[in-house]
């Protein structure tokens, strides 16, 4: 029995070591010409809050593993400072920061877990969004054109324990569904 347990442990250890070797590394840089927008609406109007993409600087090391129809990533994430979103109005910027609990959670973290190849122009991305202390997984189509990755997906802020804010004594109400639009330009 002891030999069987020892053999199992050695097999597990060898498998773990070999699995780590399956990951390759590359270096990328996200261009400041990239765009990330949070688009929402109220019962009165619409708003767009654009992320200052100049804040995503420097090269990034990416670890990935290619399969026949998918690419898995290890530790690939984008950390977005909540106060780097500009809603074109100071008060709206402050409202967004209040909604996202900026003082307690100063960043939104998007983790890219894997992509499945659908065609030469499209992949299905599997991501995890960490927002205001909550976490939720999403699956979304992404259009690929050269080194541009473009797409959008909807977030229900209630999924993160957030309440849609009300202004003007409840006359203006923010809708709970927010659209995230992105166009990431990647340089190698």
């Amino acid at each position: 029995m002891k030999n069987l347990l020892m053999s199992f442990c050695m097999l597990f250890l060898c498998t773990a070591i070999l699995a780590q070797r399956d990951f390759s590394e590359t270096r990328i840089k996200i261009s400041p010409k990239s765009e990330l927008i949070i688009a929402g609406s109220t019962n009165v109007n619409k708003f767009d809050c654009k992320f200052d993409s100049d804040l995503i600087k420097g090269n990034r090391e990416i670890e990935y593993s290619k399969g026949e129809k998918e690419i898995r990533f290890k530790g690939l994430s984008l950390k977005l400072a909540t106060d780097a979103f500009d809603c074109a109005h100071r008060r709206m910027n402050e409202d967004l920061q209040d909604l996202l609990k900026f003082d307690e959670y100063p960043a939104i973290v998007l983790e890219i877990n894997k992509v499945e190849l659908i065609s030469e122009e499209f992949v299905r991305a599997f991501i995890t969004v960490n927002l205001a202390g909550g976490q939720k997984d999403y699956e979304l189509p992404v259009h690929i054109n050269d080194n541009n990755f473009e797409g959008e997906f909807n977030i229900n802020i209630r999924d993160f324990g957030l309440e849609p804010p009300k202004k003007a004594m409840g006359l203006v109400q923010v809708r709970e569904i927010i659209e995230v639009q992105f166009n990431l330009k990647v340089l190698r």
Side-chain angles (χ1 to χ4, degrees):
M1 182 68 173
K2 188 175 181 180
N3 287 339
L4 180 62
L5 183 59
M6 192 66 143
S7 296
F8 178 73
C9 288
M10 289 302 289
L11 178 64
F12 178 75
L13 181 62
C14 289
T15 303
I17 290 171
L18 289 174
Q20 289 178 358
R21 289 185 184 157
D22 287 344
F23 280 86
S24 301
E25 289 184 14
T26 190
R27 183 175 285 211
I28 66 163
K29 182 177 182 176
I30 297 175
S31 167
K33 294 181 181 177
S34 297
E35 291 184 327
L36 184 90
I37 297 170
I38 295 176
S41 62
T42 69
N43 58 331
V44 177
N45 62 12
K46 295 181 179 184
F47 60 89
D48 288 344
C49 301
K50 188 174 181 179
F51 184 75
D52 182 358
S53 55
D54 284 335
L55 297 176
I56 305 175
K57 293 182 181 175
N59 292 325
R60 297 175 183 270
E61 292 288 330
I62 293 179
E63 291 185 68
Y64 66 94
S65 174
K66 267 187 170 179
E68 189 175 317
K69 294 277 188 181
E70 71 179 22
I71 301 172
R72 292 189 175 275
F73 299 99
K74 186 192 282 187
L76 176 57
S77 65
L78 289 174
K79 190 173 183 179
L80 308 170
T82 307
D83 64 348
F85 285 92
D86 183 7
C87 304
H89 189 274
R90 185 181 58 82
R91 184 67 196 144
M92 287 180 67
N93 292 348
E94 292 169 357
D95 289 345
L96 179 68
Q97 291 173 26
D98 289 345
L99 171 66
L100 300 179
K101 302 178 182 179
F102 171 72
D103 291 335
E104 193 174 349
Y105 304 100
I108 300 167
V109 180
L110 304 173
E111 299 172 30
I112 297 91
N113 303 313
K114 74 174 183 175
V115 294
E116 289 180 351
L117 306 173
I118 296 172
S119 70
E120 288 184 22
E121 294 181 6
F122 285 95
V123 297
R124 180 176 294 116
F126 294 82
I127 68 170
T128 303
V129 176
N130 296 283
L131 170 72
Q135 179 175 309
K136 183 158 173 54
D137 294 327
Y138 293 90
E139 185 179 314
L140 54 132
V142 177
H143 180 256
I144 302 171
N145 183 7
D146 291 324
N147 288 329
N148 292 346
F149 300 85
E150 189 174 359
E152 59 189 44
F153 64 101
N154 290 332
I155 289 178
N156 186 328
I157 60 175
R158 291 186 190 274
D159 291 342
F160 297 90
L162 303 173
E163 285 297 317
K166 297 176 184 177
K167 299 292 176 183
M169 296 189 295
L171 294 175
V172 179
Q173 297 178 346
V174 175
R175 292 201 166 76
E176 61 192 47
I177 303 298
I178 293 176
E179 183 178 74
V180 178
Q181 306 162 359
F182 60 92
N183 184 1
L184 296 177
K185 299 174 188 305
V186 177
L187 309 171
R188 292 182 186 228

